[in-house]
Amino acid sequence: MAHVTSQFDYSKLSVAERIVLVQDIWDSIAEEQSNFVLSDAEKQEIDRRIENYQKSGTQGRTWEEVKQRMRQEDGTDDSL
């Protein structure tokens, strides 16, 4: 894959403008769905996760719960 170098200084954009830019880039990638070919292993993992979700009947975790777990796993959780 080629690396694209830009002369544009993205740090001059506000955070909101950079988020919109990233969203626009992601949307343009998503439009080219033919580039996203899942392997059989990936398809099986998705099916397994859907099945587990359907069996559990739960709605998953909140964003706060996910952040807390990630912080605990990487050792940056100061609340322990």
Side-chain angles (χ1 to χ4, degrees):
M1 177 172 27
H3 179 72
V4 178
T5 304
S6 172
Q7 299 297 327
F8 187 78
D9 184 2
Y10 297 102
S11 65
K12 292 181 180 179
L13 297 174
S14 69
V15 172
E17 290 169 325
R18 285 182 273 166
I19 290 171
V20 169
L21 177 62
V22 171
Q23 288 172 329
D24 289 345
I25 292 169
W26 184 253
D27 289 345
S28 73
I29 293 169
E31 288 174 2
E32 299 177 26
Q33 293 180 13
S34 62
N35 293 333
F36 294 104
V37 178
L38 297 176
S39 69
D40 288 339
E42 292 168 326
K43 291 175 187 176
Q44 289 172 359
E45 178 63 15
I46 291 170
D47 290 340
R48 183 190 68 77
R49 290 181 184 199
I50 290 171
E51 184 178 338
N52 284 345
Y53 168 75
Q54 290 171 339
K55 284 181 181 178
S56 71
T58 62
Q59 295 298 315
R61 293 183 177 91
T62 67
W63 174 234
E64 290 303 317
E65 291 170 326
V66 171
K67 286 193 301 187
Q68 181 68 22
R69 180 176 172 200
M70 291 171 63
R71 288 180 179 137
Q72 289 172 348
E73 289 176 358
D74 74 3
T76 60
D77 181 19
D78 296 332
S79 67
L80 295 177

